[in-house]
């Protein structure tokens, strides 16, 4: 650039008159791609006299050179990780497959045409990638490389195949073995890059005892890319199961025949005691360990025999049973024991009971095979009322081989005798207290009216049937009470006595009758007299046992002057039981008042008739004389 400027862009000038100089207006290049650019420059030539001429030219920097690939991209092969190996792939792409480029004019950028891997086995694949370096002016250069994911790793055996042993089922254990083969011997494998498939080389079992055998099986696991791993295990069918005792040997007991019961014994042994056995894997054979019978009572005895069932593989099961010759015929009870009842003697009836026990309750027995001995289970009587009780006693007749027969009888001690009244009750008569004489009555009842009783067999309680007294006069009454003496067994005796409340006490005269003196009213003073009589002469009386009623013997007054007179009245007070008391008082009607002048006499004057005027006097006396009320006027 500087050379171009200094050379006036290649321009030349001449001036005939003067020398000249050059100048230009360059300030800088335009800013284009990279380090490129251009500038249009005016060059001016000026002579010494100031005359000038101009010429214009453009200086341009351009970039038509592609970036330089200094190091080509490199192929990359990675082992499959089952997830696309994304980190490795992205790193390889990011670093442009390892390519290096440069450009003298400016910067550049990388790009690639990666779109995806090819679909190979499992998660493997490859891609041919073109990396392009492009400078800022659009010039570019390319380099190509291949990214490859491959699988060269065998599947991983996570769980080795496991040996398995099946108990022989007698039919080849086909389903068990097939299930084990289908489960790949319980092996497990994995492959990070693809799926896996299993195969095995099983053909059949070896031929051992019964239906047993074994086989060593190789299981092969192969991934989608053909890589494989193997694991080996053994399948065994064995017989460790003892034969099954389908029917246990049965004990056999025969009644002693006195000569050893040999035929029955041999048949029982030959028949394995009736036992039956089976084995799913093989046949079964029988043996037994019988030697002889034990020596028991008489010609009896027994033997515990073990019968052994053994299969073809030597497994065995046993069943045990006993062959017994026994004498189990119990003695014969010829006479049964007899119930007995004793009347209670209050001392346990010891002698009576012992005699009955010693006689075996009067039972008898016999046995064709030996002697008989007796025992009983009496331990005591039940605790019944008083000294009574019962016991169910079993008498046992036992022969020499221990066979026994029993007979049972009831032993009873009973009490049917009532208590004895030793002191009879005493009747009681009490004077009425007006309140039921409760204390005396209760004391009499509580003391059983002084009665007493006894019983040889038990205690005695005395009760009574008192409910109440009869309803007699006032608060009197009586009750005939039955006193019952009862022993603990409910036997009873009765006796009676009477409790009586009587009233023999006369009423009390609390206030005696009082005399009544009345002034004559000319009409007999009837109201006042009746009131006095109704008030019992103002007397009062009371009775502890009952209410009282009054009567009197009043009839009439004595006949004195006028309507006066007197009488002695006796008042009688009677209680409800008829007891009575008396009090007397006198009624007196007296006349102590003079007649009363109701109208005063009037003066009368008559002309003398010379004869004493007797007629006039008589008329005056009759008509005009004083009116007098006389109390005693008849």
């Amino acid at each position: 650039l500087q050379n171009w400027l200094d050379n006036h862009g290649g321009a030349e000038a001449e001036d005939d008159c003067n020398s000249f100089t050059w100048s230009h207006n360059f300030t800088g290049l335009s800013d284009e791609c990279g380090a490129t650019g251009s500038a249009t420059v005016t060059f001016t030539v000026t002579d010494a006299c100031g005359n000038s001429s101009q010429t214009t030219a453009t200086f341009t920097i351009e970039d038509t050179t592609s970036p330089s690939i200094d190091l080509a991209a490199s192929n990359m092969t990675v082992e499959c990780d089952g997830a696309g190996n994304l980190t490795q792939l992205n790193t390889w792409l990011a670093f442009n497959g390892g390519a290096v480029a440069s450009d003298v004019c400016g910067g550049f950028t990388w790009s690639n045409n990666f779109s995806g891997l090819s679909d190979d086995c499992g998660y493997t694949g490859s891609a041919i990638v073109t990396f392009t370096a492009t400078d800022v002016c659009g010039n570019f250069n390319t380099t190509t490389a291949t990214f490859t994911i491959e699988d060269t790793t065998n599947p991983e055996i996570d769980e080795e195949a496991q040996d398995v042993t099946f108990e022989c089922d007698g039919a080849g254990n086909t389903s068990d073995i097939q299930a084990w083969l289908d489960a790949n011997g319980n092996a497990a494998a994995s492959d990070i890059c693809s799926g896996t498939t299993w195969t095995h080389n099983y053909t059949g079992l070896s031929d051992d005892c019964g239906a047993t055998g074994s086989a060593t099986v190789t299981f092969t696991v192969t991934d989608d890319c053909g890589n494989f791993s193997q694991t080996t295990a053994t399948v065994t069918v064995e017989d460790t199961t003892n034969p099954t005792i389908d029917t246990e040997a049965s004990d056999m007991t025969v009644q002693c025949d006195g000569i050893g019961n040999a035929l029955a014994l041999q048949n029982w042994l030959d028949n394995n005691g009736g036992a039956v056995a089976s084995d799913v894997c093989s046949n079964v054979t029988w043996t037994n360990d019988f030697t002889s019978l034990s020596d028991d009572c008489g010609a009896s005895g027994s033997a515990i025999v073990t019968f052994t069932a053994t299969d073809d593989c030597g497994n065995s099961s046993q069943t045990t049973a006993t062959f017994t010759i026994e004498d189990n015929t119990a003695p014969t009870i010829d006479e049964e024991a007899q119930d007995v009842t004793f009347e209670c003697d209050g001392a346990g009836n010891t002698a009576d009971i012992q005699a009955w026990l010693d006689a075996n309750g009067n039972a008898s027995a016999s046995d064709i095979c030996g002697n008989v001995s007796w025992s009983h289970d009496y331990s005591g009587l039940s605790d019944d009322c008083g000294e009574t009780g019962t016991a169910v006693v079993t008498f046992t007749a036992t022969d020499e081989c221990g066979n026994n027969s029993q007979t049972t009888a009831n032993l009873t001690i009973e009490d049917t005798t009532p208590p004895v009244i030793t002191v009879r009750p005493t009747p009681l008569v009490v004077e009425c207290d007006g309140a039921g004489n409760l204390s005396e009555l209760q004391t009499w009842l509580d003391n059983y009216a002084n009665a007493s009783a006894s019983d040889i067999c038990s205690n005695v309680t005395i009760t009574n049937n008192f409910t109440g007294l009869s309803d007699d006069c006032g608060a009197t009454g009586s009750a005939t009470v039955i006193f019952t003496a009862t022993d603990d067994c409910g036997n009873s005796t009765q006796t009676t006595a009477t409790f009586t409340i009587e009233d023999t006490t006369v009423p009390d005269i609390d206030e005696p009758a009082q005399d009544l003196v009345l002034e004559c009213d000319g009409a007999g003073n009837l109201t006042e007299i009746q009131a006095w009589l109704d008030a019992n002469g103002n007397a009062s009386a009371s009775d502890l046992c009952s209410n009282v009623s009054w009567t009197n013997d009043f009839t009439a007054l004595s006949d004195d002057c006028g309507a006066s007179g007197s009488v002695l009245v006796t008042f009688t007070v009677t209680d409800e039981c008829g007891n009575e008391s008396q009090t007397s008082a006198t009624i007196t009607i007296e006349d102590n008042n003079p007649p009363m002048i109701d109208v005063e006499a009037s003066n009368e004057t008559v002309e003398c008739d010379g004869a004493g005027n007797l007629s006039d006097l008589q008329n005056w006396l009759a008509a005009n004389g004083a009116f007098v009320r006389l109390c005693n006027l008849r």
Side-chain angles (χ1 to χ4, degrees):
L1 171 62
Q2 192 58 49
N3 289 333
W4 183 76
L5 290 173
D6 290 345
N7 197 35
H8 323 306
E12 293 181 1
E14 62 180 346
D15 189 275
D16 293 335
C17 185
N18 289 303
S19 60
F20 55 86
T21 59
W22 289 90
S23 63
H24 59 78
N25 64 346
F26 175 76
T27 57
L29 297 172
S30 62
D31 187 9
E32 298 177 16
C33 62
T36 66
S38 65
T40 301
V41 180
T42 299
F43 293 97
T44 302
V45 60
T46 304
D47 63 18
C49 291
N51 301 303
S52 62
S53 296
Q54 293 180 324
T55 181
T56 300
T58 299
F59 183 85
T60 300
I61 300 175
E62 64 180 1
D63 182 8
T64 60
T65 303
S66 298
S68 173
I69 299 299
D70 301 320
L71 180 62
S74 301
N75 295 333
M76 186 173 189
T77 299
V78 296
E79 186 67 21
C80 177
D81 65 3
N85 297 78
L86 294 179
T87 299
Q88 295 163 300
L89 171 61
N90 290 333
T91 299
W92 184 73
L93 292 173
F95 283 92
N96 308 307
V100 177
S102 61
D103 190 88
V104 297
C105 188
F108 60 91
T109 57
W110 284 98
S111 61
N112 63 70
N113 66 344
F114 176 76
S115 58
L117 298 173
S118 62
D119 185 10
D120 295 342
C121 61
Y123 285 95
T124 66
S126 64
I128 299 172
V129 180
T130 298
F131 296 94
T132 301
T134 304
D135 64 21
V136 294
C137 292
N139 304 301
F140 64 88
N141 206 346
T142 61
T143 180
T144 299
T146 300
F147 184 86
T148 302
I149 299 175
E150 65 180 4
D151 180 9
T152 63
T153 303
N154 294 330
E156 182 75 23
I157 300 293
D158 301 315
E159 294 289 338
E160 295 288 341
Q162 299 171 16
D163 293 343
V164 68
T165 299
F166 298 115
E167 187 64 23
C168 176
D169 65 4
N173 296 80
T174 305
S175 60
D176 294 330
I177 295 172
Q178 190 59 51
W180 181 73
L181 293 172
D182 291 345
N184 308 311
N186 296 318
S190 60
D191 190 271
I192 62 173
C193 192
S194 67
T196 58
T197 55
W198 286 90
T199 58
H200 60 75
N201 65 346
Y202 175 76
T203 57
L205 298 174
S206 62
D207 185 12
D208 295 341
C209 63
T212 66
S214 64
T216 298
V217 181
T218 297
F219 294 92
T220 300
V221 58
T222 304
D223 65 19
D224 292 344
C225 294
N227 302 301
F228 66 90
S229 296
Q230 293 181 322
T231 179
T232 300
T234 299
V235 57
T236 302
V237 175
E238 64 180 6
D239 181 9
T240 62
T241 302
N242 297 328
T244 299
I245 302 295
D246 302 311
T247 302
E248 297 286 342
S250 300
D251 295 341
M252 185 172 188
T253 300
V254 296
Q255 192 64 24
C256 176
D257 65 2
I259 56 173
N261 299 79
L263 181 60
L265 172 61
Q266 192 58 51
N267 288 337
W268 183 75
L269 292 173
D270 292 344
N271 196 38
N272 306 312
V276 177
S278 61
D279 191 88
V280 297
C281 197
S282 65
N283 298 317
V284 174
T285 57
W286 285 95
T287 57
N288 67 68
D289 63 353
F290 174 76
T291 55
S292 63
L293 297 171
S294 62
D295 185 12
D296 296 342
C297 62
S300 67
S302 64
I304 299 173
V305 180
T306 299
F307 296 93
T308 301
T310 305
D311 65 19
D312 291 346
C313 293
N315 303 302
S316 64
S317 294
Q318 294 178 326
T319 179
T320 299
T322 302
F323 184 87
T324 303
I325 299 173
E326 64 181 8
D327 174 11
N328 60 7
T329 302
T332 300
I333 301 295
D334 302 315
E335 293 289 336
E336 297 287 341
Q338 300 171 15
D339 295 343
V340 67
T341 299
F342 300 116
E343 183 67 20
C344 176
D345 65 4
N349 296 78
T350 306
D352 295 331
I353 294 172
Q354 192 58 53
W356 182 73
L357 293 173
D358 291 345
N360 305 312
N362 296 317
S364 63
S366 59
D367 189 88
I368 61 173
C369 205
N371 296 321
V372 175
S373 60
W374 284 93
S375 62
H376 61 75
D377 63 355
Y378 176 75
S379 58
L381 296 173
S382 63
D383 186 11
D384 295 342
C385 59
E387 297 295 322
T388 68
T390 60
V392 178
V393 180
T394 299
F395 294 92
T396 302
T398 306
D399 66 16
E400 294 178 359
C401 289
N403 304 301
N404 61 71
S405 296
Q406 294 179 326
T407 179
T408 300
N410 296 312
L411 168 64
T412 302
I413 296 182
E414 64 183 7
D415 179 10
T416 62
T417 304
V420 175
I421 303 294
T422 54
V423 178
R424 301 192 68 79
T426 304
L428 179 63
V429 178
V430 296
E431 186 65 21
C432 176
D433 65 2
N437 297 79
L438 297 179
S439 176
E440 295 164 297
L441 171 60
Q442 192 60 51
T443 299
W444 184 74
L445 292 172
D446 291 344
N447 289 332
Y448 317 122
N450 298 317
S452 62
S454 63
D455 189 88
I456 193 174
C457 191
S458 65
N459 297 319
V460 177
T461 57
I462 300 178
T463 58
N464 65 74
N465 69 339
F466 176 78
T467 57
L469 297 173
S470 62
D471 186 12
D472 296 342
C473 60
T476 67
S478 64
T480 298
V481 179
I482 299 174
F483 292 93
T484 301
T486 306
D487 65 20
D488 291 343
C489 295
N491 303 301
S492 64
T493 302
Q494 294 181 328
T495 183
T496 61
T498 301
F499 182 86
T500 303
I501 301 174
E502 64 181 7
D503 181 7
T504 61
T505 304
V506 301
D508 290 326
I509 302 295
D510 301 318
E511 293 289 338
Q514 300 172 17
D515 293 342
L516 177 65
V517 177
L518 300 172
E519 185 65 24
C520 175
D521 66 0
N525 296 81
L526 297 179
T527 300
E528 295 164 296
I529 291 172
Q530 191 59 51
W532 183 75
L533 290 172
D534 291 343
N536 306 311
N538 295 319
S540 64
S542 60
D543 191 87
L544 188 65
C545 190
S546 66
N547 296 319
V548 296
S549 59
W550 288 90
T551 58
N552 62 73
D553 61 355
F554 174 77
T555 56
L557 297 173
S558 63
D559 189 10
D560 294 345
C561 63
S564 66
S566 65
V567 66
L568 177 65
V569 179
T570 298
F571 294 94
T572 300
V573 59
T574 305
D575 65 20
E576 293 177 0
C577 294
N579 302 301
E580 61 183 36
S581 296
Q582 293 180 326
T583 179
S584 297
T586 300
I587 303 173
T588 302
I589 299 177
E590 60 185 8
D591 184 6
N592 295 313
N593 296 319
M596 179 179 293
I597 302 298
D598 297 320
V599 178
E600 295 291 334
S602 301
N603 295 327
E604 175 77 17
T605 302
V606 296
E607 187 65 27
C608 174
D609 62 3
N613 295 80
L614 293 176
S615 176
D616 295 329
L617 174 62
Q618 188 60 47
N619 290 334
W620 178 78
L621 287 173
N624 299 306
F627 290 94
V628 182
R629 290 185 298 173
L630 297 177
C631 180
N632 59 353
L633 187 62
R634 293 283 185 256

